[in-house]
Amino acid sequence: MTLRTKFVGGFAALLLMIAALTFSAMRALSSLNAGLDLVVHRMSTRADRTSRLVENLVDISGRHQAMLLRSILEDKAGYEQNERAAADAERRLDGLFTELLSMIDSSADKELVQELQAKAVAVRPLSEQAAQQTASSAEERASAGAQMS
């Protein structure tokens, strides 16, 4: 074997190794890209559910404030409409909590979401009680006003 043949053979082997390395690097990058796509999709889905959860909490808060105002103003139809809308938003909220819990992998995050869900459920009777007390005090004012006339 001549020196020229050895150089050409070595160069060809080097090119072959570079091609194999390029091929394996491309496959690894493709696999990494697919994994990142999956992670980004899962995170964006979680962020969407969390955003919808916050949106529903704000909606419920606004509905409860409207219910309180309607009870003060003695607007029974408006109160009932907001009460139905708040109950619907609370059902959506329960569904979003369930969806979000199914997507979470970390046990600490699951505990946090379950704790938030428990707090959201615990507040419901308090807001109903406050609305009933406001309605009863409005009725008392109305009956006292009727007795004075």
Side-chain angles (χ1 to χ4, degrees), residues 65-94:
Q65 288 176 358
M67 286 168 52
L68 187 60
L69 179 63
R70 298 292 182 176
S71 66
I72 291 171
L73 297 175
E74 299 174 16
D75 179 8
K76 193 164 191 92
Y79 177 84
E80 289 171 355
Q81 178 185 3
N82 282 299
E83 186 177 35
R84 285 189 304 272
D88 183 48
E90 287 171 354
R91 280 191 298 277
R92 285 193 316 264
L93 185 68
D94 290 338

Side-chain angles (χ1 to χ4, degrees), residues 28-146:
L29 282 174
S30 176
S31 174
L32 179 63
N33 189 26
L36 285 175
D37 282 346
L38 179 66
V39 168
V40 167
H41 175 70
R42 287 178 54 101
M43 293 302 291
S44 67
T45 304
R46 288 178 189 170
D48 177 58
R49 295 301 184 279
T50 304
S51 172
R52 288 175 43 200
L53 193 104
V54 169
E55 182 181 302
N56 274 311
L57 284 171
V58 169
D59 183 40
I60 290 170
S61 173
R63 295 295 180 174
H64 283 285
Q65 288 176 358
M67 286 168 52
L68 187 60
L69 179 63
R70 298 292 182 176
S71 66
I72 291 171
L73 297 175
E74 299 174 16
D75 179 8
K76 193 164 191 92
Y79 177 84
E80 289 171 355
Q81 178 185 3
N82 282 299
E83 186 177 35
R84 285 189 304 272
D88 183 48
E90 287 171 354
R91 280 191 298 277
R92 285 193 316 264
L93 185 68
D94 290 338
L96 288 170
F97 270 122
T98 303
E99 286 180 36
L100 190 59
L101 277 170
S102 68
M103 294 179 187
I104 297 176
D105 300 328
S106 166
S107 62
D109 290 344
K110 277 190 179 186
E111 287 176 17
L112 176 65
V113 171
Q114 288 170 340
E115 182 180 320
L116 290 173
Q117 185 177 19
K119 287 180 180 179
V121 169
V123 168
R124 290 177 190 170
L126 295 174
S127 60
E128 289 173 9
Q129 184 181 12
Q132 288 173 354
Q133 286 178 349
T134 306
S136 65
S137 67
E139 289 173 6
E140 289 173 6
R141 283 193 311 257
S143 65

